[in-house]
Amino acid sequence: MTNALPVTLDDVHDAAARLKGVAHRTPVLRSRTLDALVGAEVFVKCENFQRVGAFKFRGAYNAVSRLTPGQLARGIAAYSSGNHAQAVALAARELGSTAVIVMPEDAPRSKMEATAGYGAEIVTYDRYTGDRVAIGEALAAERGLTLIPPYEHPHIIAGQGTAALELIEDVEDLDALVVAVGGGGLIAGSATAAKGLLPRIRVIGVEPEAGDDTRRSLAAGERVSVPIPRTIADGLAAEIPGELTFSVNRRLVDEIVLAGEDDIRAAMRFAFERMKIVIEPSGATSLAALLSARVPDLPRRVGLIISGGNIDTRRFTELCGP
Amino acid sequence: MTNALPVTLDDVHDAAARLKGVAHRTPVLRSRTLDALVGAEVFVKCENFQRVGAFKFRGAYNAVSRLTPGQLARGIAAYSSGNHAQAVALAARELGSTAVIVMPEDAPRSKMEATAGYGAEIVTYDRYTGDRVAIGEALAAERGLTLIPPYEHPHIIAGQGTAALELIEDVEDLDALVVAVGGGGLIAGSATAAKGLLPRIRVIGVEPEAGDDTRRSLAAGERVSVPIPRTIADGLAAEIPGELTFSVNRRLVDEIVLAGEDDIRAAMRFAFERMKIVIEPSGATSLAALLSARVPDLPRRVGLIISGGNIDTRRFTELCGP
C-alpha cells in the first residue's frame, strides 16, 4: 500500500502562482566548455540570481504568505546557517511582519549583514555545542512567534520545488536533474515537480563528502546521522535528513553522489572564470559533482540547479585563490 | 545636407539574423539593490555571458561570416588587447578558417590562453612602443590574410549593435542606454539600433577617466587623441576614436560620462557580491558610472550593457580584494 506523498505537483504549481512577480524567474545558462567537459548538454538554473541570492526565498515566501494576519502581526522566527535566514527576513518584510533569526556565530559575515539589512533581529549560537532547533523553539514560544523551519514543512518544500518547475518549463526533454542536498528541501520539492511532470527523469542528489547523511540514510532505508560535517559547503552541513524531506526523497530521489572539498573549490573557480557567475560553496556542490565525473552514466540532457551565490570577495579569495 | 550613416538599423537586423543560433541571446538581469542605489529601473544586458565572454563575438562573427571562401582559406588576422582576439579566433574556427592574432605582451594571461585555446596563432608586441595596426597590416600583407579590425568596419559595428537590439526587444520603453566606449564600436552599433528603434532614447557613453578621447573629441567636434591611457580597463584604453565609429558616435551619442579607477573596482565588487556576476574592469565601467552617480538626471528606465567578463581569479583578487 502506497502512502500519499506530503507534497504534490499541485502544491508546487500553487506555490509558483504565489511567487509570480515576487521571486525572480531565474535564467538558465549554457556553457559549451561545461558541455564539452562533462559530455552532456547541461542547463544551469541560476538560483544564485534569485532574491536574497539563493533558492531559499521561494520556500520562505510561500510559507510566510500563508500565515494569518494575527501570526504576521506577532512575528516570525527562524534558525538558519544563512540563506534561509535572509529569505525569512525578506519574506517577513515584504509581507509586513517582523523576523527574529537564530544563526550560528560562525555564519559567513556577509549573510549575517544581509539578514540584518532586511530588518531582522539576529540571535547567535555556537554551531558545535548549541541546538538551533531548541533555541528557535524556545524563542518562538516565549515571544509568540511562528517558527518557519528551513526545510521541514510542506510549504517550504513546495516553494523550493518551483525552481525545478521553471527549469522544466523552460527546457524540453530533460533526462536528469542534479540538485544539492542539505536538509533536503530543495531536492524534495524539485523531485516532486520533476517526477510529477516527467515520470522517467532521473533525480540525482549531491552531498559534500563530509556530510553524506542522506546517501547513508537512503542506503540504510531509514534516517541515519553523521558527525557534524565540517565542510566549506556550510549550507549543506546537515547531520541527519529531515523526517518530512526524507519521506519524499526516499521515494523520489534516484541516487546520491558526493563531491569533495577540492572539487567544490574547483567548481567555484570554473563558474567564475568560464561561466562568469559567482557561486558559494554550497551552491557549487552540484556543479562539482558533474565536473569531477561523480555521476555515472550521465544522460544527454541534464538540468543542474545552482542553489546560491552568497559569498563575499574576501571569503572567495580564501577558498579559491589567487 | 545630411550624409547617410555608414551603418543602419537594417544592417544591425541583418547581423542579428546571421548571429541567430550562433551567438547567445544573453539574459537581462535585474537587481533591486542596484535600482535602489541609482534611483532608476536598470536592465542589465549581460554580455559577460556571451560566447568568448564578451560582446566582441557578435561583430567578429558577423564580419568573418561575410568573407569569401578564398579569404577564409587564406586565413584571418586581427590585433586586439584581448576580447576581439578571442572573438576572431573563435569566429575563424567556427567558419573553417584560421587566425593570427597580434596581442600586447602585457595582455591578461587568461585572454592570451583563451585565444590560443581557440586555435589561433599569437604574435606579441609592446603596447607602449609598438604600433599594432602597422604590425597587423604587415602580417596580413605578407601572408595574404584578411585583417578584421576591432571596430573600424561596418560589419563589426553592426554586429556589436545586436546587443542593444536584443535588449530593446526584451525590455519595453527604455529611456536611456548606457554603454562603455573604447574604440567606439559597441556604442556606435548600439546607438544605431537604439536610435533607429526609439528615436528619443538617450545614449550615454562611459569612458575611463584616463582614456576620455571620445569625450574630448565630441567636445572638440573632431577626433582628438589622448596619451596612451593607463587604466585597469584595458579594453577601453583607446588613444583616439576610430574614424568610422566617431562618424557614427558624433551624431548618435548624446553624452559621455567618466568613471574613475576606484569606481570601476567598486563596481566589480558590487557585481560580484550583490549581482553574483563576474565582470572584467572594462565591462564594469558602464556600471561604475551609474553607481558613482556620474550620469546627470538619470531617467526612469535605463538599459546597461555589461560588455565582458574575462578576468581570472588571480587578477580579480589583485584588483578587488580581499
Side-chain angles (χ1 to χ4, degrees):
Chain A
M1 210 175 93
T2 310
N3 293 320
L5 283 161
V7 183
T8 67
L9 177 59
D10 282 347
D11 295 329
V12 181
H13 277 299
D14 190 37
R18 282 177 181 259
L19 289 168
K20 199 171 160 66
V22 181
H24 291 312
R25 188 175 187 103
T26 52
V28 177
L29 295 186
R30 303 293 313 276
S31 159
R32 290 177 198 237
T33 310
L34 177 60
D35 288 2
L37 282 172
V38 307
E41 294 168 46
V42 186
F43 298 87
V44 184
K45 176 72 171 170
C46 288
E47 286 296 297
N48 51 330
F49 298 147
Q50 188 49 267
R51 293 186 73 184
V52 313
F55 74 95
K56 291 281 189 181
F57 180 68
R58 297 176 181 270
Y61 188 89
N62 187 45
V64 174
S65 74
R66 290 162 196 271
L67 299 184
T68 65
Q71 287 174 315
L72 290 173
R74 284 189 295 278
I76 295 159
Y79 42 85
S80 165
S81 64
N83 289 333
H84 178 62
Q86 296 181 56
V88 170
L90 177 59
R93 194 182 73 179
E94 292 261 316
L95 291 156
S97 187
T98 56
V100 182
I101 313 288
V102 179
M103 298 185 83
E105 61 196 10
D106 63 348
R109 198 182 43 171
S110 58
K111 294 186 181 181
M112 298 184 80
E113 287 173 1
T115 305
Y118 293 125
E121 178 189 341
I122 295 171
V123 174
T124 59
Y125 75 102
D126 181 338
R127 190 158 69 88
Y128 298 103
T129 61
D131 176 349
R132 67 179 188 171
V133 180
I135 296 167
E137 285 174 352
L139 201 70
E142 189 184 302
R143 303 201 198 173
L145 310 173
T146 302
L147 197 62
I148 304 288
Y151 45 87
E152 284 288 274
H153 196 292
H155 295 157
I156 297 289
I157 294 172
Q160 318 303 33
T162 60
L165 180 67
E166 289 175 7
L167 178 55
I168 291 165
E169 285 172 353
D170 289 350
V171 181
E172 284 181 359
D173 299 330
L174 285 181
D175 300 309
L177 186 64
V178 180
V179 185
V181 183
L186 177 61
I187 195 168
S190 296
T192 300
K195 297 267 174 164
L197 291 164
L198 302 167
R200 291 189 301 180
I201 197 170
R202 197 170 138 202
V203 176
I204 301 160
V206 184
E207 292 185 299
E209 283 175 350
D212 64 341
D213 53 299
T214 294
R215 189 183 66 83
R216 287 173 189 267
S217 298
L218 287 176
E222 60 178 358
R223 293 160 65 227
V224 297
S225 64
V226 297
I228 298 180
R230 295 191 183 245
T231 167
I232 58 172
D234 55 285
L236 307 180
E239 280 169 81
I240 185 165
E243 203 173 322
L244 187 68
T245 52
F246 188 68
S247 75
V248 175
N249 292 333
R250 67 185 304 174
R251 287 167 61 186
L252 300 185
V253 173
D254 295 288
E255 66 207 281
I256 301 279
V257 299
L258 304 181
E261 301 290 291
D262 284 346
D263 300 331
I264 296 170
R265 292 173 207 264
M268 291 170 71
R269 272 194 299 270
F270 178 88
F272 182 107
E273 294 190 345
R274 303 309 301 245
M275 302 184 67
K276 323 302 178 190
I277 60 175
V278 176
I279 322 186
E280 64 184 283
S282 305
T285 303
S286 55
L287 177 62
L290 281 192
L291 284 171
S292 59
R294 301 294 186 101
V295 183
D297 304 315
L298 197 64
R300 196 171 62 89
R301 288 169 70 84
V302 178
L304 174 75
I305 298 180
I306 295 293
S307 52
N310 287 323
I311 186 165
D312 57 25
T313 55
R314 178 187 297 266
R315 177 72 176 147
F316 186 88
T317 301
E318 276 172 21
L319 293 175
C320 294
Chain B
M1 209 175 97
T2 310
N3 293 321
L5 283 161
V7 183
T8 66
L9 177 60
D10 282 348
D11 295 329
V12 181
H13 277 298
D14 190 37
R18 283 179 181 257
L19 288 168
K20 199 171 160 64
V22 181
H24 291 312
R25 188 176 186 101
T26 52
V28 177
L29 293 186
R30 302 293 312 274
S31 160
R32 289 178 197 236
T33 310
L34 177 60
D35 287 3
L37 282 172
V38 307
E41 294 168 45
V42 186
F43 299 86
V44 184
K45 176 73 170 169
C46 288
E47 287 296 296
N48 51 329
F49 297 146
Q50 189 48 268
R51 293 186 73 182
V52 312
F55 73 94
K56 290 281 190 181
F57 180 67
R58 296 176 181 271
Y61 188 89
N62 187 45
V64 175
S65 74
R66 291 163 195 271
L67 299 184
T68 66
Q71 287 174 313
L72 289 173
R74 283 189 296 279
I76 295 159
Y79 42 85
S80 165
S81 64
N83 288 332
H84 178 63
Q86 296 181 56
V88 170
L90 177 59
R93 195 182 73 180
E94 293 262 316
L95 290 156
S97 187
T98 56
V100 182
I101 313 288
V102 180
M103 298 184 84
E105 62 196 9
D106 63 347
R109 199 183 44 173
S110 58
K111 294 186 180 180
M112 297 183 82
E113 287 173 1
T115 304
Y118 293 124
E121 177 189 341
I122 295 171
V123 174
T124 60
Y125 75 103
D126 181 337
R127 188 157 71 87
Y128 298 102
T129 60
D131 177 349
R132 66 181 190 171
V133 180
I135 297 167
E137 285 174 353
L139 201 70
E142 189 183 302
R143 302 201 199 172
L145 309 173
T146 302
L147 197 62
I148 304 287
Y151 45 86
E152 284 289 275
H153 196 292
H155 295 158
I156 297 288
I157 294 173
Q160 319 304 32
T162 60
L165 180 67
E166 289 176 7
L167 178 55
I168 290 165
E169 285 173 352
D170 289 351
V171 179
E172 285 181 358
D173 298 329
L174 283 180
D175 300 309
L177 186 64
V178 180
V179 185
V181 183
L186 177 61
I187 196 167
S190 295
T192 300
K195 297 267 173 162
L197 291 164
L198 303 167
R200 290 189 301 179
I201 197 169
R202 198 171 137 201
V203 176
I204 301 160
V206 184
E207 292 186 299
E209 282 175 351
D212 64 341
D213 53 301
T214 294
R215 188 183 67 84
R216 287 172 189 267
S217 298
L218 288 176
E222 61 178 356
R223 294 160 66 228
V224 297
S225 64
V226 298
I228 297 180
R230 297 194 181 240
T231 167
I232 57 173
D234 54 285
L236 307 180
E239 279 169 82
I240 186 165
E243 202 173 322
L244 187 69
T245 53
F246 188 68
S247 75
V248 176
N249 292 333
R250 68 185 302 174
R251 286 168 59 185
L252 299 185
V253 173
D254 295 288
E255 66 207 280
I256 301 278
V257 299
L258 304 180
E261 301 290 290
D262 284 346
D263 300 330
I264 296 170
R265 292 173 207 263
M268 292 171 72
R269 272 194 299 271
F270 178 88
F272 182 108
E273 295 191 344
R274 303 307 301 245
M275 300 185 68
K276 323 301 178 190
I277 60 175
V278 176
I279 320 185
E280 63 184 284
S282 305
T285 302
S286 55
L287 177 62
L290 281 192
L291 284 171
S292 59
R294 301 293 186 102
V295 183
D297 304 317
L298 196 65
R300 197 170 62 89
R301 289 168 70 84
V302 177
L304 174 75
I305 299 180
I306 295 292
S307 52
N310 287 324
I311 185 165
D312 57 24
T313 56
R314 179 186 297 267
R315 177 71 176 146
F316 186 87
T317 301
E318 277 172 19
L319 293 175
C320 294

